[in-house]
Amino acid sequence: GENVEQHPSTLSVQEGDSAVIKCTYSDSASNYFPWYKQELGKGPQLIIDIRSNVGEKKDQRIAVTLNKTAKHFSLHITETQPEDSAVYFCAASKTTSYDKVIFGPGTSLSVIP
Amino acid sequence: ETGVTQSPTHLIKTRGQQVTLRCSSQSGHNTVSWYQQALGQGPQFIFQYYREEENGRGNFPPRFSGLQFPNYSSELNVNALELDDSALYLCASSPFNTGELFFGEGSRLTVL
C-alpha cells in the first residue's frame, strides 16, 4: 500500500547549523509533496511544498528537493533558530481524484541555543 | 481571512459512547478532510468531503462517519468508542484537488 518513510525520527542541531530531513514514498503516482511543521498543542502548518514537475524549491531558509526516479525528497533548513524546534512531517499525495495525503511518522527537531 | 476552527478542543468519553466533533473550514475552501493523529505519530487520513459527499476514505471502520454542510463546515461522528480511538482529531480544509491542506488546532479525544 501507500507509504511514506521519514528519517531521522529525532534531530538535534546547534543554532545556526543546518538540518536535513529525508523521506521516501512508495506510490510512483504521487505528484505533490508538502512539508508540515507541528508545534506542541497545535495543528500541522504547511511550510513548503513541491510538485512532481519541479526538482527543487526554496523559500528563504527552507528548501526542498525531489528525486522522482529514486522516490526520495528532502527538507533542508539553513541557519536554524530556536523557533524552528518542532515536529516536521513530510507527506505525499496524488491529486488526481481526492486529496488523500499520506504523512510520514515525523521528525522531532530540537535547535539548541 | 478566518482559518480552520474545531470544537471542542478537549473531551473525555467512556468506551461504547458516541462523539461528534465539529469543524468550520477556511473561507473559500470547499473541501474538508479529517485525520486521526495518535500520540507520537503522523496524521492518518479518515475521509474527505466535497460538495456534501464523501469523496474518499482511509482505512477506518464504518463507525467513523461524517457530514459536510452547504457552508462547507463538517462533522466527524464516531460510534461505539474504543480505547484506541483516543487521539487528536484534525480537520483540514482545502481548495478542491490541490492537496494543500490547512489544518485546525484539533480536538483531543480521550476514551476511558
Side-chain angles (χ1 to χ4, degrees), chain B residues 19-47:
Chain B
V19 68
T20 297
L21 307 177
R22 295 178 175 83
C23 172
S24 293
S25 61
Q26 183 168 319
S27 176
H29 291 176
N30 55 15
T31 302
V32 174
S33 303
W34 286 91
Y35 285 78
Q36 180 195 66
Q37 186 177 25
L39 204 60
Q41 298 184 20
Q44 300 291 316
F45 177 74
I46 303 175
F47 43 55

Side-chain angles (χ1 to χ4, degrees), chain A residues 32 34 36 38 41-46 49 51 89 93-106, chain B residues 31 33 35 37 40-43 45 48 55-57 88 90 94-105:
Chain A
Y32 176 65
Y36 289 85
Q38 187 173 27
K42 296 190 175 183
Q45 179 185 11
L46 179 68
D49 56 16
R51 297 191 184 271
F89 293 98
S93 75
K94 42 188 179 182
T95 56
T96 53
S97 56
Y98 62 93
D99 300 333
K100 177 182 178 180
V101 180
I102 307 298
F103 284 79
Chain B
T31 302
S33 303
Y35 285 78
Q37 186 177 25
Q41 298 184 20
F45 177 74
Q48 181 186 76
N55 190 40
R57 189 178 186 93
L88 180 68
L90 295 161
S94 58
F96 179 66
N97 223 22
T98 63
E100 298 171 1
L101 301 175
F102 294 84
F103 284 92
E105 303 285 72

Side-chain angles (χ1 to χ4, degrees), chain A residues 7-113:
Chain A
H7 300 279
S9 57
T10 60
L11 180 59
S12 184
V13 300
Q14 292 287 333
E15 182 177 358
D17 287 350
S18 295
V20 180
I21 302 171
K22 298 184 178 182
C23 291
T24 59
Y25 60 97
S26 61
D27 189 344
S28 56
S30 297
N31 59 2
Y32 176 65
F33 307 91
W35 287 86
Y36 289 85
K37 175 183 181 182
Q38 187 173 27
E39 297 175 341
L40 200 61
K42 296 190 175 183
Q45 179 185 11
L46 179 68
I47 56 171
I48 195 168
D49 56 16
I50 190 167
R51 297 191 184 271
S52 59
N53 57 346
V54 175
E56 186 173 351
K57 183 176 179 180
K58 189 174 181 180
D59 182 4
Q60 298 183 357
R61 297 186 296 109
I62 296 174
V64 291
T65 59
L66 171 64
N67 182 331
K68 283 219 74 178
T69 303
K71 293 191 280 187
H72 289 175
F73 57 118
S74 300
L75 176 72
H76 304 251
I77 306 174
T78 58
E79 300 172 17
T80 53
Q81 301 168 3
E83 52 265 37
D84 294 329
S85 296
V87 179
Y88 291 80
F89 293 98
C90 61
S93 75
K94 42 188 179 182
T95 56
T96 53
S97 56
Y98 62 93
D99 300 333
K100 177 182 178 180
V101 180
I102 307 298
F103 284 79
T107 295
S108 178
L109 173 64
S110 298
V111 179
I112 304 166

